Amino acid sequence: MSSETSLPRHIGIIMDGNGRWAAKHGLPRAAGHARGADVFRTICRYCEKIGIEALTVYAFSTENWSRSKDEVDSIMNILRRYLRDAFDLEGETIRVRFIGRRDRLEKDILSLMEEIEDGSRDNTGLKLNIAVDYGGRDEIAHAAREAAKMVLEGRISPDDIDEDLIDSLTYTSCCPPLDLLLRPSGEERISNFMLWQCAYAEFVYMDTLWPDFTPELLDKAIEEFNSRNRRFGGR
Ligand code: FPP
C-alpha cells in the first residue's frame, strides 16, 4: 500500500466461495469452510496490523439454515473449534462482537460467543463483528421492534423515530459507518448483508474465492476504494 493511501474505517466482507474452492480441489465443502476460517483469522490479524478500525464478516446468514444438515453442522463445528483458538484472549487487542439472532443457536455456541465477547470487552484494537444467524432485513426489523417498544414504554414519541435512532438500534451502532464492502468469489450481490449500513459504502467485487484470499488482495481492494470519488449524494 502506498503511504498516501487513506484507510477505510469500517470494512465488511462476505466470505464467499468456500464450497467452490472445495469442489475445485476435490474436497468436501466442510474443508472449504475450514480453509475459509483460516483465511478469516489471517485477514483479522492483518486489519488489526494496518490499523483498520472496524471489520464485519458474514459467517452464517439467516438463510444458511436451509443448507443440508451436514453442512450447517460443519459450519457450526468450525465456529466451535476456531473461535476459541482464533481469539485466545490473553494478550489480544481485538474487540469481538457477534451480530445476528441469538435464539436459534446451540447453547454451547452461545456460551462461547458470550465468553469471547466478555473476555475482549476492554480491548481497544480492531472492532470485529462476526455475523452469525444474521440477515440485514432481520436486523432492520429488530431495530423497528425496539423503537416500537420505546414508544410503548413512553420513552419516545413516534416522531422521534429518525435515521439516527434506527442507526443506534442496529447491531453495528458501536462502529463507524461502513466504508467498503468486499465480496470475493465473482458474485456481485449484497445477499442480505448490512443493508442499512451499505447506504454509502463502496462495493469492491473480486474473482478470487475466499479460501484463496490474501492480505495483498485486501491491499488491492483498499487501493480501489481510494480511487473512488465518494460524494455521499452531494456533488
Ligand atoms: C459462503 O461460501 C460461506 C459460508 C456460508 C460460511 C462462511 C464461514 C466461514 C468462512 C467459516 C467460519 C468463520 C469463522 C468466523 C470462524 P459458500 O459455501 O456459499 O461457497 P460457494 O458459493 O462456493 O458454494
Side-chain angles (χ1 to χ4, degrees):
M1 244 187 305
S2 98
S3 55
E4 313 229 317
T5 304
S6 71
L7 290 174
R9 291 179 67 197
H10 188 173
I11 300 178
I13 305 183
I14 301 178
M15 303 185 290
D16 196 15
N18 296 345
R20 276 163 286 163
W21 182 91
K24 202 170 120 188
H25 292 83
L27 295 167
R29 291 179 67 83
H33 295 312
R35 169 77 182 228
D38 287 337
V39 171
F40 153 76
R41 187 159 31 179
T42 304
I43 295 300
C44 289
R45 293 280 178 281
Y46 186 65
C47 286
E48 167 85 341
K49 182 174 141 207
I50 64 176
I52 300 294
E53 198 174 323
L55 172 68
T56 302
V57 294
Y58 211 177
F60 192 85
S61 75
T62 46
E63 290 76 30
N64 285 155
W65 293 109
S66 65
R67 295 194 177 193
S68 72
K69 181 173 178 329
D70 266 6
E71 185 168 0
V72 170
D73 286 350
S74 72
I75 296 176
M76 291 301 156
N77 282 333
I78 286 167
L79 288 174
R80 281 186 181 91
R81 196 157 9 106
Y82 277 78
L83 289 180
R84 201 179 289 280
D85 294 353
F87 304 105
D88 167 21
L89 296 167
E90 284 308 301
E92 268 294 347
T93 50
I94 299 179
R95 164 81 150 97
V96 187
R97 288 184 183 86
F98 292 89
I99 64 171
R101 290 178 58 160
R102 299 229 169 171
D103 57 324
R104 302 194 287 193
L105 297 167
E106 304 256 355
K107 278 209 174 69
D108 68 309
I109 296 213
L110 271 177
S111 310
L112 180 58
M113 284 162 52
E114 283 162 12
E115 193 185 311
I116 292 168
E117 286 180 332
D118 288 347
S120 70
R121 197 170 297 283
D122 297 328
N123 291 350
T124 53
L126 175 73
K127 292 174 180 158
L128 171 65
N129 303 310
I130 304 176
V132 178
D133 201 4
Y134 171 90
R137 288 180 167 187
D138 185 71
E139 177 179 34
I140 294 169
H142 172 264
R145 271 194 307 277
E146 292 301 309
K149 282 184 205 159
M150 291 166 85
V151 172
L152 276 180
E153 288 162 5
R155 290 156 59 203
I156 58 168
S157 85
D159 288 342
D160 294 326
I161 302 177
D162 59 8
E163 292 188 19
D164 285 344
L165 182 83
I166 296 292
D167 201 61
S168 75
L169 297 172
T170 63
Y171 296 128
T172 57
S173 58
C174 52
C175 297
L178 189 69
D179 291 315
L180 167 62
L181 179 81
L182 185 58
R183 183 165 193 165
S185 94
E187 305 289 350
E188 300 189 354
R189 282 187 299 279
I190 190 164
S191 296
N192 204 11
F193 187 54
M194 301 186 87
L195 298 181
W196 175 270
Q197 296 86 340
C198 274
Y200 284 105
E202 293 294 330
F203 287 22
V204 173
Y205 298 109
M206 292 180 144
D207 284 336
T208 310
L209 302 173
W210 175 251
D212 289 328
F213 201 79
T214 58
E216 291 69 32
L217 285 171
L218 186 68
D219 283 347
K220 226 171 128 193
I222 294 173
E223 297 286 0
E224 168 69 28
F225 168 80
N226 268 266
S227 73
R228 307 273 176 94
N229 175 12
R230 300 183 84 198
R231 292 187 301 278
F232 299 95
R235 293 197 64 218

